[in-house]
């Protein structure tokens, strides 16, 4: 009996030792080639799911770490991150129709500072385009241009509007669509940028006239451009890539860059106190790499990496002369108020 008990004790110790060794080996294997933060990366993004999933798959291919993509609208994701303060579920947040949601997120204390090495030498603002946050809270990944999509079967390039004032030509009455500024960040940008240039009183007058000319004002930022492709409107206000994606798919759509217009980076940022900050940083680094920038270019987004060629007729170099200076402090102070005032001031 004594011998059997001794053998049993030795057997148990052997099993415990093997388990400990296996656990250590698992830890080592999990750390090899991954983000250094332990396990998968969680990405929040309002961008096209197929695009973000392609980026996630490329990251896993390059770095060996999976990326879990959570898709929702920008406002939904921001509210979710606010609700998750104290127990954040995301590591990184990419995209939102430009810098405005990210600027307001700084004050909401839901994002934190990190600038990839590739962007450390960038100027904060270059030729009127804010490339990254001055205190390092976000960095641009691509360029978005706000302008005019037009139906090429119904409108020639020569007669298409070239300025924001051109939209008030009586010939466009009943033929324009633009997103609802009370719901769409794309359209909020349009309103704020115009008011920064012309003042609020003139701005409200302009948008009342524009509203009178519109045949539809949907909540979605991309719906007006789709309406142009379907012949429901002749002119739509939206971002450049919306038109070029439809054009690439064979739709009768093209895009005009207005003489003066908002030109914005679409940023990426690190979520404050996320579970895998090292992974989040590595994904931010990846987004400025040739591999990620080529994917963005293939989706008709203007790459910010100068080594990657734009697949559309416009590039960072060609749009810089059209960019207007945006007073970001004024935007932060008035963003919510202007959105809330839209339904009150516009009939």
């Amino acid at each position: 009996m004594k011998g059997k008990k001794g053998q049993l004790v030795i057997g148990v110790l052997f099993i415990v030792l093997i388990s400990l060794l296996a656990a250590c080996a698992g830890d080592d294997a999990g750390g090899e080639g991954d983000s250094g933060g332990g396990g998968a990366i969680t990405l929040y993004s309002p961008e096209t799911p197929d695009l973000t999933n392609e980026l996630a798959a490329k990251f896993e291919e390059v770095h060996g770490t999976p990326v879990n993509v959570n898709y929702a609208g920008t406002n939904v994701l921001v509210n979710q991150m606010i609700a998750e303060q104290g127990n954040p579920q995301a590591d990184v947040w990419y995209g939102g129709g430009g810098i405005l949601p990210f600027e307001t997120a700084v004050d909401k204390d839901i994002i934190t500072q990190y600038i990839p090495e590739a962007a450390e030498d960038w100027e904060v603002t270059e030729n009127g385009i804010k490339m990254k946050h001055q205190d390092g809270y976000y960095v641009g990944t691509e360029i978005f241009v706000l302008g005019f999509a037009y139906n090429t079967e119904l409108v020639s390039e020569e007669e298409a509007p070239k300025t924001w004032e051109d939209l008030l030509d009586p010939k466009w009455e009943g033929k324009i669509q633009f997103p609802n500024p009370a719901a769409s960040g794309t359209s909020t940008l349009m309103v704020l940028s115009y008011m920064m240039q012309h003042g609020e009183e003139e701005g409200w007058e302009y948008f009342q006239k524009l509203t009178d000319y519109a045949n539809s004002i949907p909540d979605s930022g991309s719906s007006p451009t789709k309406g142009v492709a379907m012949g429901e409107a002749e002119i739509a206000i939206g971002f450049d890539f919306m038109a070029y994606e439809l054009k690439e798919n064979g739709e009768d759509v093209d895009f005009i860059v207005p003489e003066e217009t908002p030109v914005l980076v679409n940023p990426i940022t690190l979520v404050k106190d996320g579970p895998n900050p090292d992974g989040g940083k590595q994904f931010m680094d990846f987004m400025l790499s040739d591999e990620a920038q080529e994917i963005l270019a293939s989706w008709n987004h203007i790459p910010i990496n100068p080594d990657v060629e734009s697949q559309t007729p416009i590039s960072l170099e060609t749009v810089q002369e059209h960019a207007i200076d945006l007073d970001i402090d004024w935007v932060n102070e008035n963003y919510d108020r202007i959105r809330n005032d839209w339904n009150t001031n516009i009939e």
Side-chain angles (χ1 to χ4, degrees):
M1 292 293 294
K2 206 171 187 180
K4 289 182 180 178
K5 286 182 180 179
Q7 291 173 358
L8 180 61
V9 170
I10 291 171
V12 170
L13 290 173
F14 179 78
I15 291 170
V16 170
L17 178 61
I18 292 297
S19 299
L20 289 172
L21 289 172
C24 291
D27 289 342
D28 290 342
E32 185 177 348
D34 72 5
S35 64
I41 298 164
T42 299
L43 169 67
Y44 281 3
S45 178
E47 300 302 330
T48 306
D50 287 346
L51 165 61
T52 46
N53 287 331
E54 186 175 344
L55 290 164
K58 175 58 72 171
F59 181 86
E60 183 171 1
E61 177 188 323
V62 172
H63 295 284
T65 304
V67 179
N68 299 322
V69 178
N70 286 268
Y71 171 82
T74 302
N75 290 339
V76 172
L77 290 175
V78 169
N79 290 335
Q80 186 171 337
M81 285 183 277
I82 292 172
E84 291 170 353
Q85 280 178 308
N87 185 30
Q89 301 301 301
D91 302 301
V92 65
W93 164 26
Y94 157 61
I99 65 175
L100 302 192
F102 292 80
E103 286 285 340
T104 59
V106 175
D107 292 334
K108 292 178 172 67
D109 200 32
I110 56 176
I111 61 178
T112 192
Q113 295 155 301
Y114 178 69
I115 296 294
E117 183 178 353
E120 286 179 353
D121 294 334
W122 293 0
E123 297 292 334
V124 170
T125 301
E126 297 183 9
N127 296 313
I129 305 172
K130 189 169 184 181
M131 305 290 282
K132 61 183 180 181
H133 190 267
Q134 62 273 16
D135 295 320
Y137 280 93
Y138 65 74
V139 65
T141 60
E142 64 221 294
I143 304 295
F144 286 171
V145 182
L146 191 64
F148 314 138
Y150 65 98
N151 185 300
T152 55
E153 287 292 302
L154 303 174
V155 180
S156 68
E157 183 178 1
E158 290 72 28
E159 65 180 331
K162 306 300 188 298
T163 70
W164 291 92
E165 286 69 29
D166 288 347
L167 294 177
L168 299 187
D169 189 311
K171 68 182 179 182
W172 304 123
E173 186 171 0
K175 301 175 181 178
I176 295 175
Q177 289 189 12
F178 64 90
N180 178 8
S184 165
T186 301
S187 209
T188 306
L189 168 65
M190 169 187 71
V191 175
L192 289 168
S193 62
Y194 193 90
M195 289 183 175
M196 275 186 278
Q197 287 186 292
H198 303 280
E200 288 191 44
E201 183 177 352
E202 185 176 338
W204 288 120
E205 292 176 1
Y206 174 87
F207 288 109
Q208 182 61 65
K209 293 177 183 176
L210 189 64
T211 298
D212 293 341
Y213 277 14
N215 65 36
S216 180
I217 305 177
D219 286 346
S220 166
S222 60
S223 289
T225 305
K226 293 175 181 176
V228 161
M230 297 171 66
E232 297 173 354
E234 295 185 8
I235 304 295
I237 296 170
F239 283 126
D240 56 300
F241 68 89
M242 298 172 180
Y244 288 126
E245 283 180 12
L246 292 169
K247 182 179 180 180
E248 185 178 56
N249 292 333
E251 302 289 349
D252 298 319
V253 178
D254 214 333
F255 185 77
I256 295 288
V257 180
E259 290 179 6
E260 292 185 322
T261 198
V263 179
L264 300 173
V265 296
N266 196 38
I268 191 167
T269 186
L270 200 64
V271 176
K272 185 176 182 181
D273 299 326
N276 187 356
D278 289 342
K281 291 175 182 178
Q282 192 175 36
F283 190 83
M284 289 180 67
D285 294 342
F286 161 76
M287 285 295 290
L288 298 183
S289 70
D290 289 357
E291 292 93 343
Q293 293 283 300
E294 286 168 359
I295 290 173
L296 294 175
S298 74
W299 281 81
N300 296 295
H301 295 200
I302 302 173
I304 206 166
N305 183 334
D307 295 329
V308 176
E309 185 177 354
S310 175
Q311 300 302 303
T312 74
I314 56 180
S315 65
L316 175 57
E317 290 73 21
T318 62
V319 299
Q320 286 176 335
E321 64 186 37
H322 298 267
I324 61 171
D325 289 327
L326 294 174
D327 185 342
I328 299 302
D329 290 336
W330 190 88
V331 168
N332 290 337
E333 291 169 7
N334 295 281
Y335 186 85
D336 291 332
R337 178 179 64 83
I338 295 296
R339 294 191 78 171
N340 294 334
D341 286 352
W342 176 266
N343 290 328
T344 302
N345 293 348
I346 300 298
E347 298 177 359

